[in-house]
Amino acid sequence: MSILTRRRLLRRAALSATATAGAGLSAAAAGAGLTAATGVLAAGCDAPKGGDPTAAPTAERVRFPHDFGWGAATSAYQIEGAAKEDGRGESVWDTFSHTPGRTRNGDTGDVAADHYHRWADDLDLMRDLGLRSYRFSISWPRIQADGTGKPNQRGLDFYKRIIGGLHERGIAPMVTLFHWDLPQALQDDGGWENRDTAHRFADYADTVFRGIGDQVPVWLTINEPKTVVQNGYLWGHHAPGRQDADAAYLVAHHLQLAHGLAVRALRATGFDTRIGPALNLHPCYPADDSPAAAAAATLHDGYENRLYLDSILTGAYPADVLADLGPDSRMAKGIRDGDLETIASPVDLLAVQYYTPLYLTGNGNTVTRWPTSEADWQQIYPQGMYDILTRVTRDYGPVPITVTENGLPCPDTLGPDGTVDDAGRIAFLRDHLTAVHRAIADGVPLESYHVWSLLDNFEWAEGYDQRWGLVYVDYPTQRRIPKRSAHWYRQVIRDNGL
Ligand code: FCB
């Protein structure tokens, strides 16, 4: 992200914080802390100094459980393209990306990585990598163009082909029902601010389950509800581009209601497959030893983590967050009798996505402690992976965990010899996998790990500028070139360890 873009985002966030402070919400609710990141350090994609990043970090080799689910992840809008084919309707991301000024270079997902047409080759690529699990998402507007009604058979057939192709190649599908591409028609009716959208989602989930539910061993409901809340409704740099904190937390409630209703819809089918939420968790640490920083870190943890973990896993919203939002907030008023029972419908597993820690000062601002990646919100801190995984198990009991996203963007270029040397990504993955392994050794029931991402893709507001893939995509030709990290990851999978 350029300094200018970053400044623009920070300014937007600051504006949103100011606006919401006026609406009576606290700085933490307004995410004000994130407006104050300072002191960006060296980029984390620099090749690590002192030795071969592919070498094991310790003399002792790190071995994973024998049935460990080595995987990679993608999402529909980020890779599929074919935006107008086979009856697909418009999503909020079509609208947003086609609105001038919303995405870098005006990039859109119209073509993306053209996976809709190249899916069979991409599945071969996954087989060659040795993947055991592939996490992808279904585009709601491919199944229901307007978000309601009879399913579009061509949309369902596309996913049937992918799921069948994965099984043929010995790769387990893990499918997310919603990775942010809400049908635009539902947005026109109020989107996630409208409680009815949660019920539309349950109907969509039911349609998908009845079509392909039993062929998918693990379903994930909603990808990162927090990102929709914060990026979509608090800061406005994701679709639908709103800046309204009071609306944002009502959206948090409706997204979770939608999650719970989808869990119930799957149970109603009687299929013997598993389901859970996909939450991006950020360990929150005090930036200094002051009691004020400790208090700020605790409240921030409420907004970042417990607002989703407590409700889904214990059936209660965190009292400190509810108190901070106040009884007159739209969220508080939007919670109806029985909602929390629905939200807490028992899940089979929890999908954790880890990218960065947050450090809070006494006044509720965040500071940057560690080197950042090309995504300057991302501090590279593998210990954070260990901390968040062990904390979930300690605080919420032994719910099975899958890591469904972890990775970083690097300034990858195709070399004259036709290879992409992303040594920084290898170092990142090795260090985070070492942390994952320690967490397992210390009792976390963690069954699989997915790199974000399989392919370079449309990184939302950043367009195609950030490359997060194990596999380089040469967009003009759509040629796929496995990066050095892909070769390294294949070996990790073969060795079942580092
Ligand atoms: C996560 C999103 C995913 C991708 C990565 C970099 O928050 O779930 O789609 O954008 O960040």
Side-chain angles (χ1 to χ4, degrees), residues 75 78 179-180 223-224 227 353 355 405 452 459-460 468:
S75 87
Q78 293 180 276
H179 201 123
W180 305 350
N223 180 70
E224 298 189 354
T227 308
Q353 320 201 143
Y355 287 100
E405 290 187 25
W452 183 270
E459 175 51 25
W460 309 112
W468 290 77

Side-chain angles (χ1 to χ4, degrees), residues 73-76 78 135 179-180 223-224 227 231 238 278 280 282 353 355 375 377-378 404-409 452-453 457-461 466 468:
T74 63
S75 87
Q78 293 180 276
R135 177 200 176 215
H179 201 123
W180 305 350
N223 180 70
E224 298 189 354
T227 308
N231 294 25
H238 275 191
N280 54 328
H282 292 112
Q353 320 201 143
Y355 287 100
W377 50 265
Q378 181 182 30
T404 38
E405 290 187 25
N406 179 228
L408 87 172
W452 183 270
S453 177
N457 60 47
F458 174 78
E459 175 51 25
W460 309 112
Q466 290 182 359
W468 290 77

Side-chain angles (χ1 to χ4, degrees), residues 140-224:
W140 184 349
R142 266 194 212 292
I143 306 299
Q144 293 174 319
D146 292 334
T148 55
K150 262 185 51 180
N152 168 24
Q153 195 55 44
R154 286 175 296 174
L156 268 178
D157 286 347
F158 171 63
Y159 296 107
K160 265 189 196 164
R161 286 194 290 274
I162 291 190
I163 291 164
L166 287 167
H167 285 304
E168 278 164 24
R169 291 166 179 80
I171 303 168
M174 181 182 283
V175 186
T176 313
L177 286 165
F178 178 73
H179 201 123
W180 305 350
D181 42 2
L182 185 76
Q184 180 61 42
L186 295 185
Q187 187 64 41
D188 296 342
D189 282 344
W192 289 110
E193 278 176 84
N194 181 349
R195 185 182 170 93
D196 193 49
T197 299
H199 293 284
R200 299 282 70 76
F201 178 73
D203 289 349
Y204 153 68
D206 179 66
T207 299
V208 170
F209 294 149
R210 297 204 182 267
I212 50 182
D214 56 342
Q215 297 155 40
V216 173
V218 175
W219 287 98
L220 302 176
T221 52
I222 293 189
N223 180 70
E224 298 189 354

Side-chain angles (χ1 to χ4, degrees), residues 1 6 34 37 40-45 282 353-359 367-382 385 405-410 424-425 428-429 432 449 452 459 466-468:
M1 184 193 287
R6 167 146 186 88
L34 295 178
V40 173
L41 305 175
C45 278
H282 292 112
Q353 320 201 143
Y354 171 71
Y355 287 100
T356 191
L358 295 173
Y359 291 86
V367 291
T368 300
R369 249 307 150 73
W370 305 101
T372 54
S373 74
E374 278 209 312
D376 57 4
W377 50 265
Q378 181 182 30
Q379 302 178 56
I380 299 179
Y381 185 58
M385 172 74 95
E405 290 187 25
N406 179 228
L408 87 172
C410 290
R425 180 171 287 108
F428 176 99
L429 294 176
H432 283 76
Y449 169 91
W452 183 270
E459 175 51 25
Q466 290 182 359
R467 292 181 175 273
W468 290 77

